[in-house]
Amino acid sequence: MIRGNGHTVLHAANQGKYKYLRKKQIYFYSTSRSHEKQIAALRRCPPAAVVIPRGVSPAAIPKATAVIQVSDMDKARWRLALWNWRQHAPRVSAVTGSAGKSTTTAMIASILKQNRRVVHTTGNLNTFRYLPSYLLRLSPGDQVLSLEMGMKSLDNIASQCRIVRPEVGAVTNVGEAHAGSVGGLNRVVQAKQELIDGLRSGSTLYLNADCQRSRQLSTRRFQGKVYTFGIHQPADIQGGNLRYTTRGTIFDVKMDGKRGTFFIPTWGKHNIYNALAAIGIARSLGSSLRKIKSGLQRVELPKMRLQRLQGAARRVLINDAWNANPTAMKAGLTVLNSISGTRPAIAVLGNMMELGSYTRSAHREVGRFAAQLNLHQLITYGREAREIGKTAIAEKMNPQRVIHFHSRQSLLRHLRNTPPRSIIYFKASRKQKFERIVNALANRK
């Protein structure tokens, strides 16, 4: 059943994302969301059409809006997404890796958006199930589809590549993230290999020269150009001479026989690797060095990735708690140690999840690393995280500087009494929702 007033449908909305309704798009009704809230949103911003499953009455939907009733919502979204993809078919870039995907994708988008129309991954919605939402957003004039490709299982990245066939791609690194869910570190390598195997013939690939596990990736069957980026090992895009400021990081890059100085509004060597990958992809898509510098300088980075917030008593809160694995946690601790100077440096670390049999050794690895730093306090919260503190003490860290909490309220009370001007760093896996602790300290809702 279809009814409507002759709207022309150009592109579509991600399921449940009401902000896209303002563009007169297609709205996909969600049976998992409140019917009343969805109808209220549809009345405020009527879309061109609403797709509903059989069993949902169209009576409450605004009369001026077309209604399309389908027996299978998922198949309907995919059919429309693939049709829309075929109408536009922009250039496609893809980024995968155990860490840094979202930041690298944000950097690429910031560079390209200066003079091109770009559709890109947002909100860490980066697995195969979310691909239709990006294909549906494409409209006439969009020139680049910049995708962050994540995975919860093998064949997820491969499935995305089979549809969009990227012409340029990068693997930021290969680490421990999701090792538990896919069956070990070797399977993580196998999953990232899917991007290399999924790039179209004649494409361009960027690999991290400093990442040991990235060397396990095979380019033997890859039919295209391979470039490397790195800081320590020789690379085609060579970064170095990092200088931290209160606003971010200045660094030098040597590429194509030329040298340049760049700035990103965040800290950490791991973010320099992200920037180097973004530089390579943007260069392959035709961006000038001037545009690349400008785009990196003004990039709006995803929240909860080294996000700086102001706390009481001139404390600085660094919310890096989007997710956690040992490599990322050590990188964040290095940033804390580098920027704290004479100010008290406090690390608040939680559980690292989805690591499978690697869980205990991973937390011990972080504990050994933390013990080497000049931390004023090492605070842990969560059952697995306790192993971080125990290991740090075993590695001769002062036990009086290591504290474990079982209660969030007790942790908050303690943090509100830390020394003025402290820099407090937060890192944990997503399920622990550390942003609630950070927001309470920053007086944010």
Side-chain angles (χ1 to χ4, degrees), residues 126-128 131 148-150 156-164:
N126 58 21
T127 54
F128 180 71
L131 181 58
E148 164 193 344
M149 291 190 176
N156 202 301
I157 295 171
S159 296
Q160 297 181 66
C161 287
R162 280 193 288 269
I163 292 172
V164 297

Side-chain angles (χ1 to χ4, degrees), residues 320-379:
D320 198 28
W322 178 259
N323 220 328
N325 59 66
T327 300
M329 195 170 274
K330 289 190 294 182
L333 288 171
T334 301
V335 169
L336 172 64
N337 196 57
S338 300
I339 67 174
S340 57
T342 60
R343 303 173 70 158
I346 299 173
V348 184
L349 307 180
N351 297 335
M352 296 181 288
M353 300 176 180
E354 297 186 0
L355 297 176
S357 61
Y358 184 47
T359 298
R360 191 174 185 185
S361 61
H363 287 83
R364 288 180 172 179
E365 180 183 330
V366 172
R368 285 191 292 271
F369 186 83
Q372 303 170 26
L373 306 178
N374 186 30
L375 297 178
H376 179 76
Q377 288 181 6
L378 172 61
I379 299 171

Side-chain angles (χ1 to χ4, degrees), residues 29-224:
Y29 186 92
S30 173
T31 54
S32 64
R33 299 178 187 272
S34 163
H35 175 76
E36 291 75 16
K37 288 183 179 180
Q38 291 186 90
I39 295 301
L42 291 170
R43 287 173 176 165
R44 287 195 304 271
C45 304
V50 178
V51 181
I52 62 173
R54 297 195 184 280
V56 174
S57 172
I61 296 171
K63 298 296 183 184
T65 301
V67 175
I68 305 171
Q69 195 169 57
V70 297
S71 57
D72 190 317
M73 291 287 287
D74 191 52
K75 285 183 179 179
R77 289 182 76 235
W78 268 108
R79 286 183 65 183
L80 183 57
L82 292 173
W83 175 86
N84 198 52
W85 163 249
R86 289 191 293 269
Q87 309 313 302
H88 308 296
R91 304 180 74 178
V92 181
S93 70
V95 176
T96 193
S98 297
K101 297 184 294 296
S102 296
T103 299
T104 304
T105 302
M107 290 174 171
I108 294 166
S110 182
I111 295 167
L112 298 180
K113 279 184 173 181
Q114 294 175 98
N115 58 355
R116 275 173 279 191
R117 285 179 48 173
V118 182
V119 173
H120 59 92
T121 304
T122 57
N124 206 48
L125 304 177
N126 58 21
T127 54
F128 180 71
R129 64 173 293 196
Y130 296 108
L131 181 58
S133 65
Y134 303 112
L135 303 184
L136 287 166
R137 289 185 201 177
L138 294 170
S139 60
D142 289 332
Q143 296 163 284
V144 179
L145 176 62
S146 180
L147 293 175
E148 164 193 344
M149 291 190 176
M151 56 92 185
K152 288 290 185 181
S153 61
L154 293 177
D155 199 48
N156 202 301
I157 295 171
S159 296
Q160 297 181 66
C161 287
R162 280 193 288 269
I163 292 172
V164 297
R165 300 296 291 173
E167 68 174 81
V168 57
V171 182
T172 57
N173 49 60
V174 180
E176 310 88 350
H178 305 300
S181 59
V182 298
L185 291 172
N186 289 336
R187 288 284 185 104
V188 175
V189 175
Q190 185 179 342
K192 304 310 178 188
Q193 179 70 39
E194 292 175 8
L195 175 64
I196 300 173
D197 296 340
L199 294 175
R200 69 180 63 180
S201 178
S203 56
T204 304
L205 170 68
Y206 292 90
L207 297 175
N208 188 333
D210 292 347
C211 175
Q212 187 172 0
R213 288 195 187 96
S214 289
R215 296 170 196 161
Q216 298 177 39
L217 297 169
S218 173
T219 58
R220 184 169 50 87
R221 294 182 298 173
F222 177 67
Q223 297 180 340

